[in-house]
Amino acid sequence: MRKDEDMTRLGSVEELNIYRESILAETDPNKICVRICMSGCRAYGAEEIRVAFNEEIKEKGLEDRIEIRKTGCHGFCSRAPVIIVDPKGIFYQQLTVDDVEEVVLETLVKGNIIDRLVYVDLKTGKRFPFTRDIPFYKEQTRNVLRNCGKIDPTNISHYIAQDGYSALTKILSTMSPRQAIEIIEKSGLRGRGGAGFPTGKKWHFAQIADNDTKYLICNASEGDPGSFKDRALLEGDPHLILEGMLVAGYAIGAKAGYIYIKAEYSLAVERLKTAILQAEESGLLGENILGSEFSFEIKVKEGAGTYVCGEETAILEAIEGRRGVPRPRPPFPAQSGLWNKPTNINNVETYANIPSIILNGVDWYSNIGSERSKGTKVLSLTGKINNAGLVEVPIGIPLRKVIFDIGGGIPEGKRFKAIQVGGPPGECIPESLLDSLLDFGSLETSGSTMGSGVIIVMDEDTCMVDIARFFLMLAEDESCGFCSPCRLGTRQMKDILDRIVAGKGEDKDIELLTILERVLKDASLCGYGQTCAIPVLTTIRYFQDEYKAHIHQKMCPVGRCKINYNL
Amino acid sequence: MTSSLEIATAGQKIDLNRLESILSKYYKRGRDALISVLQEVQVEYGRIPQESIEPIADTLNLFPSEVYGVVTFYPQFSLTPQGKCTIQACRGTTCHVKGADKIISTIENTTKLKEGETSSDLKFTFKTVTCVGTCALAPVMVINNKFLGKLYPKKVADILSQYEKG
Ligand SMILES: Cc1cc2nc3c(=O)[nH]c(=O)nc-3n(C[C@H](O)[C@H](O)[C@H](O)COP(=O)(O)O)c2cc1C
Ligand code: FES
């Protein structure tokens, strides 16, 4: 495959197509390639393993025959560090540096499978040497994540080889902005940042806003604790996000876009900056893209912490250099956003959906998903679950399937207790409701609060009152303090929950919490205050026995809360 | 607040040349550059020195109070000096469910620091964060940008003792 240095500025759609063909012609599909995750697996020694592979290959003079590739996340994070060996797709897990020599000699050279490193299904005891057969992967539909774990995210030609930037060339050569928006509208795509607002509609508002200057923002602040899907996408396939933004920029008539990214995501920032530079050098970003009239630039803005800064109007304040406090709406950003110009804001995963919709069309896309919500959703599946990791499924899948088939159930033979879905504004869902379908909305509307796609699994050792208290502690901490219902309400609720877990709860507390939740919902300025007490509401609804045990019997049923018996 | 700040920074004159070379890149840029400037200053000095606030305000044509307001709003910025080693323990939801409280108390006991504190020898700063995005390896901590996962108290104590030695 070509090196980046060969890359010259592409002056037309035709030149990009020729370039893609030349990359493909030079690619040997049967070449042995070790794909090593350089995202999450780094926390478990993946970098050291990569170095060991490189040294081993060099020492044995195999550099021409074998490629060691740095990729994004393979998804199966609980088995970290993970490698996949092409062309057969052999899956090795929990590797150490000590395994490397054997992998090179046995698998890469002789083609043998090393049993010890193969995934064994916990339920059936069956061995699965190949990625495609492993139940964790088999039940997924990987569209947005299709390149994640496959390509080297620091090499633009890898992305181009996978039909990258074809959606851009398609709209540039065959579509008006209006037509592009129509496709997104008809596809049924809804925003993946949490609220599920129809994306095409949002673009339409920004497009009809009458102004010569418009902006685009990619929301990469990923504030929901437990969520890492945006990070994985940015680290594993950054050009996909750039391409999605380019399509959006073309559609609404913006010339500049910002990616507002969480402070802790330094690797993602690095990957993005590399990708932007490569795209600029290739003529895929900047002035007169691929020789067309369309010009677009993208800048990365690093956030400085705080959860509320993920709210869209707070992002506007932060990019303008102010305290990240939400603005009252209306006016909506589509009318008056960044520097009072019409601005379109979408989540990372929303942009990541765009290229495939443009390329494969409305019918293809709307065949995936539920009645109300089309496409797939990337989930961050963690907690007390065997197969923790990054998962992509069609919207509308039963939650039970996600937890027990893909997720492989609860470790150590423990009993399932609940899942918390959708981050801080999400519901705590008990076993009896696990047949609900993954969707936007809430359990009352026969969906679940899918939100940003965080699923945290809790087992019998988890105290649900403690979980409610945890979310309120977070809420109190992260409340920006601007409006009083949120600032004071979260504090009051947290104090009550503190009392309950300390064994000082009173009869009236449950009712008081319910009332306060309603006040927050009705009177807070932004979505944060309005939704941050939902975990309390749903734990009261589904796990009231646990509250009552703390309040009346002064005991924590799972023995987690340290109740003071001297009371 | 102010008094403890003055104590913490008293007697430490900052090297204004380093500030100057950061600011020179941002002349007349205006408010939208403020957070980027502060991020650079924070990295350069390990804090936002009191003496830097007025020059920053002048450069970007803002009131010092506006700069101060932004500094105190975002958790990334600190007015007091930070330790050589910053320990960030995650207390996000997944880490909480997987026992972050035990990790946090191990750090507190080993370093004798409470959350937000810096040791007097400026060796360690201990902070907590809500999710660093490696939740599948929970519980997690980050030491100077190195991610450490699947922690348990003994592992934490071992790691910290390595850093203690330097
Ligand atoms: C308190 C709060 C925090 C939010 N945090 C995020 C976030 O971290 N990432 C995100 O994409 N959206 C977040 N949102 C939603 C955004 O305001 C906005 O709806 C979203 O970025 C729109 O993009 P989408 O339509 O593509 O989902 C948050 C909203 C609220 C109220
Ligand atoms: S909750 Fe700790 S890393 Fe995400």
Side-chain angles (χ1 to χ4, degrees), chain A residues 222-397:
Chain A
E222 191 149 63
D224 286 358
S227 184
F228 49 96
K229 51 127 186 153
D230 293 340
R231 166 193 171 123
L233 275 167
L234 294 166
E235 289 180 359
D237 199 5
H239 286 284
L240 181 67
I241 316 304
L242 302 187
E243 190 178 1
M245 290 179 74
L246 276 161
V247 173
Y250 176 82
I252 69 163
K255 291 193 186 63
Y258 290 92
I259 300 174
Y260 185 80
I261 186 165
K262 179 165 171 166
E264 284 86 5
Y265 285 5
S266 50
L267 181 68
V269 169
E270 195 187 306
R271 295 268 162 90
L272 271 175
K273 288 186 172 163
T274 308
I276 289 171
L277 200 69
Q278 289 174 350
E280 283 170 352
E281 284 169 3
S282 319
L284 294 160
L285 261 183
E287 294 291 317
N288 301 97
I289 291 166
L290 293 175
S292 71
E293 297 288 294
F294 175 50
S295 301
F296 193 71
E297 61 166 345
I298 296 180
K299 289 195 189 115
V300 178
K301 272 272 182 189
E302 286 173 64
T306 91
Y307 178 78
V308 173
C309 261
E311 197 277 338
E312 54 186 24
T313 59
I315 290 189
L316 302 174
E317 293 288 299
I319 294 181
E320 290 180 13
R322 295 173 215 272
R323 291 164 74 99
V325 173
R327 298 178 184 174
R329 297 181 307 182
F332 288 91
Q335 297 140 359
S336 171
L338 202 55
W339 296 294
N340 301 324
K341 306 290 184 198
T343 303
N344 178 68
I345 305 174
N346 280 121
N347 170 256
V348 172
E349 188 189 344
T350 311
Y351 286 120
N353 270 279
I354 302 297
S356 67
I357 297 175
I358 296 287
L359 275 182
N360 303 323
V362 169
D363 291 344
W364 170 82
Y365 193 78
S366 49
N367 262 328
I368 315 168
S370 74
E371 196 57 45
R372 281 181 294 151
S373 320
K374 300 302 175 193
T376 58
K377 182 79 190 76
V378 182
L379 306 175
S380 314
L381 182 61
T382 61
K384 302 285 186 72
I385 186 144
N386 280 315
N387 305 341
L390 197 66
V391 168
E392 184 175 354
V393 291
I395 298 178
I397 192 176

Side-chain angles (χ1 to χ4, degrees), chain A residues 29 217 468:
Chain A
I217 293 174

Side-chain angles (χ1 to χ4, degrees), chain A residues 77-78 225-226 228 231 262 301-304 306 318 320 322-324 382-384 456 466 470 474 477-478 560, chain B residues 31-32 34-35 39 69 73-76 91-94 96-98 101 130-133 135-137 147 150:
Chain A
C77 310
S78 58
F228 49 96
R231 166 193 171 123
K262 179 165 171 166
K301 272 272 182 189
E302 286 173 64
T306 91
E320 290 180 13
R322 295 173 215 272
R323 291 164 74 99
T382 61
K384 302 285 186 72
I456 295 164
D466 172 70
F470 166 81
L474 207 71
D477 247 25
E478 298 283 352
R560 189 186 193 288
Chain B
R31 178 193 295 277
D32 65 306
L34 176 57
I35 291 175
Q39 283 168 335
F73 183 82
Y74 293 100
Q76 202 184 39
R91 59 177 172 99
T93 322
T94 310
H96 178 78
V97 169
K98 296 268 245 176
D101 49 348
T130 35
C131 191
V132 291
C135 330
L137 300 175
F147 288 78
K150 293 194 188 171

Side-chain angles (χ1 to χ4, degrees), chain A residues 114-287:
Chain A
I114 303 168
D115 247 11
R116 163 172 53 87
L117 301 174
V118 160
Y119 171 75
V120 183
D121 188 53
L122 291 163
K123 257 186 275 178
T124 58
K126 231 180 125 186
R127 300 183 164 270
F128 292 97
F130 303 109
T131 316
R132 58 179 177 277
D133 303 326
I134 297 175
F136 174 79
Y137 288 106
K138 222 173 160 175
E139 302 291 338
Q140 297 191 42
T141 305
R142 283 167 96 87
N143 171 43
V144 168
L145 295 175
R146 63 189 175 278
N147 294 330
C148 225
K150 234 187 203 163
I151 64 172
D152 177 350
T154 62
N155 188 336
I156 190 171
S157 62
H158 280 210
Y159 180 69
I160 291 176
Q162 303 292 329
D163 275 337
Y165 291 108
S166 299
L168 173 69
T169 54
K170 187 166 177 184
I171 55 156
L172 285 182
S173 44
T174 65
M175 279 179 214
S176 69
R178 187 59 232 149
Q179 283 170 320
I181 291 180
E182 239 163 56
I183 291 185
I184 302 304
E185 272 189 306
K186 282 198 189 130
S187 74
L189 172 66
R190 299 173 65 176
R192 300 295 195 243
F197 191 83
T199 306
K201 210 177 195 173
K202 200 187 256 188
W203 288 16
H204 175 70
F205 290 140
Q207 193 216 14
I208 57 173
D210 188 19
N211 208 309
D212 285 344
T213 310
K214 294 178 190 177
Y215 293 104
L216 203 66
I217 293 174
C218 172
N219 188 347
S221 48
E222 191 149 63
D224 286 358
S227 184
F228 49 96
K229 51 127 186 153
D230 293 340
R231 166 193 171 123
L233 275 167
L234 294 166
E235 289 180 359
D237 199 5
H239 286 284
L240 181 67
I241 316 304
L242 302 187
E243 190 178 1
M245 290 179 74
L246 276 161
V247 173
Y250 176 82
I252 69 163
K255 291 193 186 63
Y258 290 92
I259 300 174
Y260 185 80
I261 186 165
K262 179 165 171 166
E264 284 86 5
Y265 285 5
S266 50
L267 181 68
V269 169
E270 195 187 306
R271 295 268 162 90
L272 271 175
K273 288 186 172 163
T274 308
I276 289 171
L277 200 69
Q278 289 174 350
E280 283 170 352
E281 284 169 3
S282 319
L284 294 160
L285 261 183
E287 294 291 317

